[in-house]
Amino acid sequence: MKKYFLHNGTESSGPFDLEELKAKRITKTSPVWFEGMENWKTAGEIPELRTIFVVVPPPIPSFLAVPPKPKVEKKEEEKEEQKILGLTKKTFFIVLGSLVLIVGITVLNTLEDNRSRELDLRNHKTEVENHQYDLQQKEKNEQEILLAEQEKAEADRIKKERKQTVTNRIFEIKNLLAANSNNLEITQKKLEDTSSFKFLRSAAEKNEQISLLQKEISDYKTEKDKLEKESDELKLELEKIK
């Protein structure tokens, strides 16, 4: 059900449904707002409120004074007014009407006070719910910020560890290449010596030694190429990490 808010020129009140607005006795010029409106409007601009406006009747035209009826003499016994509870009828009904009016006003004031208290409780409940919602949103935002900071810290830690791992491996490859280069140089020297000098061995033994040394040299070169390729890839990765 649609709820409406009223404005008396200084502050707003509400929300009210249609039945509650009737009790407020709004007019066409009363400022009204409900959820979905951009700005306040007068009640006369809202079609569904046109049936609850307070209608002020036009003034009654003056009538010619009716001439007083001629007094008719009453009998002595008719002149004596009857009394109720020790009061004349006129006085009794005046007192009775006053009591009814007082009771009616008291009941209406009580109903109005109860309705005002109920509205105050609703407004207070709405304020409490809005405050709780704001607290929940604030807590949610703080948790999201904390989670983002933790994720960033974890990412930085992983990056740092990877950077250290890559750096250590590059340094290790550098040492391996140095050892590989030294071994390759020694093996190539052995091959030259084996090919140049004659020892007490057969041609088959010589060829076998040469073949073994050539294979060893080939293995060193293959290993060197692999290490250099790995080193280049790690250096590229290190640049990206930075």
Side-chain angles (χ1 to χ4, degrees):
M1 181 182 293
K2 187 179 293 184
K3 297 290 185 177
Y4 303 85
F5 291 82
L6 299 177
H7 203 286
N8 61 6
T10 57
E11 60 181 2
S12 60
S13 60
F16 307 107
D17 56 24
L18 285 176
E19 292 299 322
E20 292 171 337
L21 283 182
K22 289 181 180 180
K24 294 297 181 180
R25 302 180 65 83
I26 65 172
T27 64
K28 292 182 179 180
T29 59
S30 298
V32 178
W33 180 89
F34 58 86
E35 186 174 358
M37 291 175 57
E38 293 183 359
N39 296 306
W40 289 77
K41 292 184 178 181
T42 59
E45 297 176 293
I46 302 174
E48 63 264 28
L49 300 183
R50 293 174 183 171
T51 59
I52 66 171
F53 296 147
V54 175
V55 178
V56 181
I60 300 175
S62 302
F63 293 96
L64 294 175
V66 179
K69 294 181 179 180
K71 293 183 180 180
V72 180
E73 293 184 357
K74 297 180 180 179
K75 295 181 180 180
E76 192 68 26
E77 61 273 10
E78 291 178 350
K79 291 182 179 179
E80 294 181 358
E81 296 182 2
Q82 295 181 357
K83 294 185 178 181
I84 301 175
L85 298 177
L87 300 173
T88 63
K89 280 186 176 181
K90 182 177 181 181
T91 304
F92 175 79
F93 285 116
I94 290 175
V95 172
L96 180 61
S98 299
L99 290 175
V100 171
L101 182 61
I102 292 172
V103 171
I105 293 173
T106 302
V107 171
L108 289 176
N109 288 337
T110 302
L111 292 175
E112 186 65 25
D113 290 341
N114 291 337
R115 183 170 297 173
S116 298
R117 282 194 294 271
E118 183 180 352
L119 290 176
D120 290 340
L121 288 175
R122 289 182 184 177
N123 291 336
H124 178 68
K125 182 180 178 181
T126 301
E127 291 176 358
V128 171
E129 290 175 350
N130 290 338
H131 181 64
Q132 291 176 346
Y133 176 78
D134 292 339
L135 290 177
Q136 291 174 354
Q137 286 297 113
K138 182 179 179 181
E139 183 178 356
K140 181 181 178 181
N141 293 337
E142 290 176 351
Q143 290 176 351
E144 290 177 351
I145 293 173
L146 179 61
L147 181 60
E149 291 176 350
Q150 291 175 346
E151 290 177 350
K152 183 178 182 302
E154 180 64 15
D156 291 341
R157 184 189 65 79
I158 293 173
K159 183 188 293 185
K160 184 177 180 181
E161 289 181 354
R162 180 57 184 168
K163 180 179 179 181
Q164 186 62 44
T165 301
V166 170
T167 302
N168 293 341
R169 180 57 182 166
I170 291 174
F171 182 75
E172 182 181 355
I173 291 174
K174 183 178 180 181
N175 292 334
L176 291 174
L177 285 173
N180 180 283
S181 179
N182 184 56
N183 291 334
L184 179 59
E185 188 176 334
I186 293 173
T187 305
Q188 287 176 338
K189 186 69 172 63
K190 286 182 180 179
L191 180 60
E192 291 176 0
D193 293 341
T194 302
S195 301
S196 301
F197 298 100
K198 295 181 179 181
F199 299 96
L200 297 176
R201 58 184 174 175
S202 63
E205 290 175 341
K206 178 180 178 181
N207 290 334
E208 183 180 356
Q209 289 180 352
I210 291 173
S211 178
L212 290 173
L213 290 171
Q214 288 176 339
K215 183 178 183 305
E216 191 174 346
I217 290 171
S218 178
D219 291 342
Y220 283 136
K221 289 181 178 180
T222 300
E223 181 67 17
K224 178 183 177 183
D225 291 339
K226 287 174 61 178
L227 291 172
E228 288 177 344
K229 181 179 179 181
E230 182 182 357
S231 178
D232 292 339
E233 292 175 350
L234 291 173
K235 288 177 181 178
L236 289 174
E237 182 180 353
L238 189 61
E239 290 180 359
K240 292 179 180 180
I241 294 176
K242 293 178 179 179

